[in-house]
Amino acid sequence: MFFSRLESCDRDRIDIYHWGDSQIEGDRITGHLRSEMQERFGGRGPGWVLPRTPAPSFATKQVLRGSIERSAGFGRRRDTSALRLPFLAINKFTDSAIWRVNANPIGYRTNRQWTRSRIWSSAASAWSLMVRDSTHLITSRSTSGNEEELWTWQHAGSASGIELTGTSNALLGAEFSTAHGVFVHNLPLRGGSGTLFDDVPAGDWKKLREWTRPGLVILQFGGNAVPSLSSVKS
């Protein structure tokens, strides 16, 4: 089923979720897989990203202004309210914080020129998105709501990326992609052992299935569990 869906990506889309520990941080492994699959089956953009993560992504180049704080639902200082998909972590924007992001010019070619920007945000949030090319403004749109939802902007591909402004809200993730193609999402959980997925709210899984087109899940964990193995059962 998965492979037959790949062949129809010229008119459809398929999402591949790559969760792992720190071994996949920075878009390592994921980026190569994404590039190879997009070159063959179509699609542009790095997929799901967050502005603040423990390690910068090789897929994007960004500038942060204002207060953007990260909370994770895993690790030693876990915040159970932040155990949300797709990153099992959230970023909190305050005081009109600004996130400027574009494809990393030294990264894979297929990360560039996405034409769809989406944000998964908390309730009672307000966002403003601006898209520029090298000389002028292409798109400027604002949105707000009282319920958690996914907002989508369609726009021209931009070599200069986007500017997203948020005020007093929580960002679960931003997805940069196109209408059709393959999208391989890099979702690292530094220090995680892959044992918390059952604790993620059931509503998040429902929304992920409704809002995206999951076709494959890759779980790459193990290294962080090795030091605690002390019995045959473990």
Side-chain angles (χ1 to χ4, degrees), residues 58-80:
F58 187 67
T60 59
K61 186 175 182 180
Q62 56 188 14
V63 175
L64 308 179
R65 293 184 178 177
S67 177
I68 304 175
E69 299 180 353
R70 176 179 180 270
S71 294
F74 57 92
R76 293 182 179 179
R77 299 180 179 178
R78 70 182 64 176
D79 176 358
T80 55

Side-chain angles (χ1 to χ4, degrees), residues 47-123:
W48 286 105
V49 296
L50 274 177
R52 286 209 179 275
T53 56
S57 173
F58 187 67
T60 59
K61 186 175 182 180
Q62 56 188 14
V63 175
L64 308 179
R65 293 184 178 177
S67 177
I68 304 175
E69 299 180 353
R70 176 179 180 270
S71 294
F74 57 92
R76 293 182 179 179
R77 299 180 179 178
R78 70 182 64 176
D79 176 358
T80 55
S81 67
L83 192 68
R84 304 293 306 276
L85 293 180
F87 287 93
L88 277 64
I90 62 175
N91 278 189
K92 297 177 181 178
F93 281 60
T94 58
D95 302 325
S96 297
I98 297 174
W99 175 31
R100 293 178 180 172
V101 57
N102 64 297
N104 192 330
I106 62 173
Y108 291 105
R109 182 174 65 88
T110 61
N111 290 330
R112 309 170 193 173
Q113 297 289 333
W114 68 80
T115 58
R116 185 170 79 168
S117 297
R118 307 202 293 177
I119 57 172
W120 184 350
S121 175
S122 66

Side-chain angles (χ1 to χ4, degrees), residues 4-15:
S4 63
R5 285 180 61 186
L6 284 175
E7 298 296 340
S8 64
C9 281
D10 58 336
R11 58 186 183 279
D12 202 352
R13 62 174 286 142
I14 188 170
D15 292 274

Side-chain angles (χ1 to χ4, degrees), residues 57-233:
S57 173
F58 187 67
T60 59
K61 186 175 182 180
Q62 56 188 14
V63 175
L64 308 179
R65 293 184 178 177
S67 177
I68 304 175
E69 299 180 353
R70 176 179 180 270
S71 294
F74 57 92
R76 293 182 179 179
R77 299 180 179 178
R78 70 182 64 176
D79 176 358
T80 55
S81 67
L83 192 68
R84 304 293 306 276
L85 293 180
F87 287 93
L88 277 64
I90 62 175
N91 278 189
K92 297 177 181 178
F93 281 60
T94 58
D95 302 325
S96 297
I98 297 174
W99 175 31
R100 293 178 180 172
V101 57
N102 64 297
N104 192 330
I106 62 173
Y108 291 105
R109 182 174 65 88
T110 61
N111 290 330
R112 309 170 193 173
Q113 297 289 333
W114 68 80
T115 58
R116 185 170 79 168
S117 297
R118 307 202 293 177
I119 57 172
W120 184 350
S121 175
S122 66
S125 58
W127 299 93
S128 176
L129 179 82
M130 291 196 302
V131 182
R132 298 178 180 274
D133 64 13
S134 59
T135 59
H136 64 279
L137 182 69
I138 298 176
T139 301
S140 179
R141 297 179 183 173
S142 298
T143 188
S144 62
N146 294 318
E147 297 182 3
E148 180 178 299
E149 58 184 300
L150 185 76
W151 284 300
T152 301
W153 290 271
Q154 297 289 155
H155 51 76
S158 169
S160 298
I162 69 159
E163 179 177 299
L164 183 68
T165 303
T167 303
S168 299
N169 45 47
L171 178 68
L172 280 67
E175 187 212 63
F176 304 131
S177 63
T178 52
H180 306 136
V182 184
F183 307 99
V184 189
H185 309 288
N186 179 240
L187 305 165
L189 314 178
R190 176 180 289 196
S193 55
T195 60
L196 294 175
F197 288 98
D198 286 344
D199 297 331
V200 172
D204 279 19
W205 292 113
K206 182 175 184 292
K207 290 171 182 174
L208 199 71
R209 290 194 300 271
E210 291 175 348
W211 291 341
T212 69
R213 299 295 305 277
L216 181 68
V217 171
I218 303 171
L219 300 177
Q220 187 173 340
F221 295 95
N224 292 303
V226 171
S228 63
L229 300 181
S230 58
S231 67
V232 173
K233 181 179 179 180

Side-chain angles (χ1 to χ4, degrees), residues 7-36:
E7 298 296 340
S8 64
C9 281
D10 58 336
R11 58 186 183 279
D12 202 352
R13 62 174 286 142
I14 188 170
D15 292 274
I16 300 173
Y17 291 94
H18 187 189
W19 280 286
D21 54 29
S22 58
Q23 294 301 318
I24 71 166
E25 279 187 332
D27 209 36
R28 288 185 295 177
I29 303 174
T30 315
H32 179 71
L33 178 62
R34 179 190 310 115
S35 176
E36 291 293 317

